[in-house]
Amino acid sequence: DDEPWRLVDDLSLAQPADPAFVLRAGAGGGSVVRVGDGGNGLALPRRPLQASFSARIGLGTQGNVGAGALRRIVAFGTGGDIEALIAGSEDQRLALQQALQVRNDLPAIGGRDPEPMARIRYRAPRLVRDTLSAVSAADYERLLNALPEVAGTRAAVIDAGLRHLIRVVLLLRDEDQLTLPELGADAEAERLRRWALVRSRLEAIRLLGWDVELLPPSFVPLDIDLTVDAEPWVQAEAVRRGVVAALSGDGGLFDPDTSGLGGDVHVDALHRAALSVPGVTALRVQRLRRLQPHAIDYAEAGTLPIAEDEVAVLRRPYGTPDGLLTVTVCGGLP
């Protein structure tokens, strides 16, 4: 509506009544015009209006011309010193345009073409690509799981009344080993050191105004009964020990570092683990349940559900009772 607005670099610095706008890169390689919201810069009126836009934002590398290349005035814009020299009629403008001589004694430098979007994504600073502060629950998990002392985390947003709370369940790496009583005070000191390190990291990445809470997982001992068919040329006891190691040994299916937080127990996973033992030809799962009175048997269903803050184990940390694994071998050498 013939009201001039000016181009600025940052709307956040504009006053509520400033008629200002900014130019930003658009998704298609062009430019996007953004105006204020009434708080930072004047907002557009809530009525139909007519807007015209004329701007030249450089020519990129084509503007890097040599000395003496600029010799002719193409046009005069409105406003500025030209209005003080002439009355502003079109004839006077044309006459002045023909009479004036221009020359650039120095070469033009510094012009560059817009950077392609693909290159921007590739060269994005690491601090922008990999944020150092957590915003969502997934951010807390991602930043904590990057620590070598951590085997798994589960984060959730809890409504704690006046303030929000981020509750994080932490599974330390090798936690079942660090809590064995026979390892003594050194293992306990190492477990506490790792716990304190994760707690310090959690404080460093949390959002201001949000409380954080760190909790250990619930370890779920299992009751599993398997019947294994063995090749006739292998020792039955060697097969049994191999199946036990594949399930409950270090790096086995129910090593906490492997099973992790919230990992449901699947019958097909038991089959894969047992069939990886040399000499095993078949497996039948007779019983699959939690080791507790009147627990539901999931052998027929195929999946024993484990909650997000639980870890399925056969060797239970903290000196509490282990799970029960029964392996019966059919065939093989005595």
Side-chain angles (χ1 to χ4, degrees), residues 107-129:
I109 60 174
R112 57 178 181 155
D113 295 325
E115 188 173 9
M117 189 62 68
R119 188 179 181 188
I120 293 175
R121 293 192 183 100
Y122 177 77
R123 299 181 61 190
R126 183 167 181 259
L127 293 179
V128 175
R129 185 177 66 248

Side-chain angles (χ1 to χ4, degrees), residues 71-306:
R71 296 175 176 272
R72 183 167 60 93
I73 297 176
V74 176
F76 291 114
T78 59
D81 295 337
I82 189 64
E83 307 298 344
L85 295 175
I86 60 176
S89 68
E90 188 64 25
D91 292 340
Q92 290 173 319
R93 287 175 179 272
L94 291 175
L96 184 60
Q97 179 179 327
Q98 295 171 358
L100 289 179
Q101 293 182 354
V102 295
R103 172 185 172 85
N104 64 308
D105 294 327
L106 299 175
I109 60 174
R112 57 178 181 155
D113 295 325
E115 188 173 9
M117 189 62 68
R119 188 179 181 188
I120 293 175
R121 293 192 183 100
Y122 177 77
R123 299 181 61 190
R126 183 167 181 259
L127 293 179
V128 175
R129 185 177 66 248
D130 301 326
T131 55
L132 299 179
S133 296
V135 178
S136 66
D139 291 335
Y140 285 89
E141 294 178 4
R142 174 177 56 83
L143 292 171
L144 293 178
N145 286 338
L147 297 174
E149 293 84 359
V150 174
T153 58
R154 285 291 185 271
V157 179
I158 308 297
D159 187 358
L162 297 178
R163 296 167 69 102
H164 287 294
L165 170 70
I166 296 292
R167 178 171 295 164
V168 179
V169 178
L170 168 67
L171 174 63
L172 291 175
R173 192 167 302 280
D174 299 324
E175 187 158 8
D176 56 337
Q177 298 297 315
L178 294 174
T179 57
L180 294 176
E182 57 267 25
L183 296 182
D186 290 342
E188 176 65 12
E190 174 62 15
R191 186 181 72 85
L192 294 177
R193 183 196 70 82
R194 295 184 182 185
W195 190 271
L197 185 149
V198 177
R199 177 69 199 192
S200 176
R201 177 63 171 158
L202 184 59
E203 286 289 340
I205 64 176
R206 71 181 180 92
L207 287 179
L208 292 177
W210 288 67
D211 293 329
V212 289
E213 184 179 58
L214 198 60
L215 300 175
S218 298
F219 292 92
V220 179
L222 302 177
D223 179 8
I224 301 176
D225 187 0
L226 307 176
T227 299
V228 176
D229 292 341
E231 297 279 6
W233 46 267
V234 297
Q235 293 286 338
E237 179 58 23
V239 168
R240 190 192 69 81
R241 290 197 301 268
V243 172
V244 171
L247 297 181
S248 63
D250 292 339
L253 181 63
F254 296 106
D255 183 332
D257 291 353
T258 303
S259 58
L261 279 162
D264 294 341
V265 181
H266 301 282
V267 168
D268 60 343
L270 294 172
H271 278 266
R272 288 193 300 270
L275 291 174
S276 68
V277 178
V280 175
T281 60
L283 172 74
R284 293 179 295 279
V285 180
Q286 309 290 359
R287 186 171 64 250
L288 174 60
R289 64 182 184 182
R290 295 172 180 247
L291 184 61
Q292 60 187 34
H294 312 295
I296 301 174
D297 189 353
Y298 291 93
E300 292 295 329
T303 301
L304 190 158
I306 300 295

